[in-house]
Amino acid sequence: MSPHSASSQPEGLDRQEAQWRLPRRPRSAGHARALLREQLTEWKIDGDVVDAAALLLSELVTNSVQHARVPAGREIGVRIARYDGCLRVEVADADSTRPQPRPAAVEDERGRGLELVAALAQRWGCCPRRYGIGKATWAELALPR
């Protein structure tokens, strides 16, 4: 799958972004991580921020695959953006229900994804999808100077 990349540099801002559409299936989390790592290498971003961004993106994709209630065949939109010293990872789906962290018991094997996102991200949230129905769930990390 080839990425749709766009770079724009408004006055005074160093802004880059890339986006992809992935099928709504469990293997897409791994594919999204690989695309992210490739793009961050191109942007010359490395180190711990790459590992944290890959984990955040994986959790957001997995959350969308497991919980979004959408018609068969709908894809997930993945977007990463670099701007103002920040890296943003974003996953969009056609379900407008906002994700909610839920308590997980010690013995639960699942249910901690959004807690992990909240712990790793500088900021995270959910907003209406930019183009179309549904939502985009995002997380941001500070980039090293």
Side-chain angles (χ1 to χ4, degrees):
M1 182 164 298
S2 63
H4 172 271
S5 297
S7 293
S8 60
Q9 296 180 346
E11 262 184 72
L13 288 179
D14 178 24
R15 182 179 184 88
Q16 298 171 299
E17 70 177 63
Q19 51 192 343
W20 305 277
R21 297 189 66 77
L22 302 174
R24 241 184 103 248
R25 61 177 180 229
R27 291 192 334 221
S28 289
H31 192 187
R33 284 191 307 272
L35 291 167
L36 171 96
R37 287 181 186 281
E38 184 178 316
Q39 186 64 58
L40 295 185
T41 297
E42 185 178 312
W43 289 346
K44 298 183 181 6
I45 297 173
D46 58 13
D48 292 341
V49 72
V50 174
D51 295 332
L55 183 53
L56 288 168
L57 184 58
S58 185
E59 290 299 331
L60 295 179
V61 169
T62 299
N63 194 60
S64 181
V65 167
Q66 290 180 350
H67 301 292
R69 301 293 170 240
V70 299
R74 295 303 295 246
E75 294 178 310
I76 295 170
V78 174
R79 178 178 165 265
I80 59 171
R82 172 188 187 174
Y83 57 93
D84 297 336
C86 172
L87 179 67
R88 181 178 179 122
V89 297
E90 182 177 294
V91 175
D93 61 49
D95 184 350
S96 59
T97 305
R98 296 167 90 61
Q100 297 292 324
R102 63 180 177 92
V106 173
E107 65 277 0
D108 289 347
E109 294 180 13
R110 298 164 70 177
R112 292 178 186 81
L114 291 177
E115 287 180 20
L116 185 58
V117 169
L120 282 176
Q122 183 178 3
R123 296 182 334 136
W124 79 278
C126 185
C127 58
R129 196 168 173 189
R130 288 168 95 183
Y131 307 105
I133 61 170
K135 67 177 173 308
T137 306
W138 53 269
E140 293 179 340
L141 294 167
L143 290 170
R145 295 186 180 263

